[in-house]
Amino acid sequence: MELTGRSMQRALDQILRRLITQGRLTVRWPDGGTATYAAGPGPRAALAFASPATVRRLVLDPALAFGEAYMD
């Protein structure tokens, strides 16, 4: 089974839904869509993913990929 950009986006979406427990995170996906993960008051942040490859790397190896994506 090949993992597509869309399936990786769905996987990261599910991870973020569980991970965000305070504040609000707004994500702009490579296809131009946006999603907001909100859990009440707290800090606000936003991320924009320019490529599906970045989303894939975050799902497969988040500890390494997050820093690399930030540097890119």
Side-chain angles (χ1 to χ4, degrees):
M1 179 176 128
E2 184 178 326
L3 298 174
T4 65
R6 192 76 175 144
S7 65
M8 287 294 175
Q9 182 174 317
R10 282 192 304 268
L12 186 55
D13 175 74
Q14 291 301 311
I15 291 167
L16 292 172
R17 287 184 190 283
R18 287 190 307 261
L19 211 80
I20 304 302
T21 59
Q22 291 183 337
R24 177 184 306 255
L25 175 65
T26 301
V27 174
R28 187 177 67 210
W29 299 105
D31 64 4
T34 60
T36 300
Y37 307 92
R44 294 176 181 226
L47 294 171
F49 295 114
S51 75
T54 302
V55 174
R56 184 177 194 278
R57 287 192 312 263
L58 279 168
V59 170
L60 297 176
D61 189 1
L64 178 62
F66 188 81
E68 288 179 343
Y70 178 78
M71 294 299 292
D72 286 346

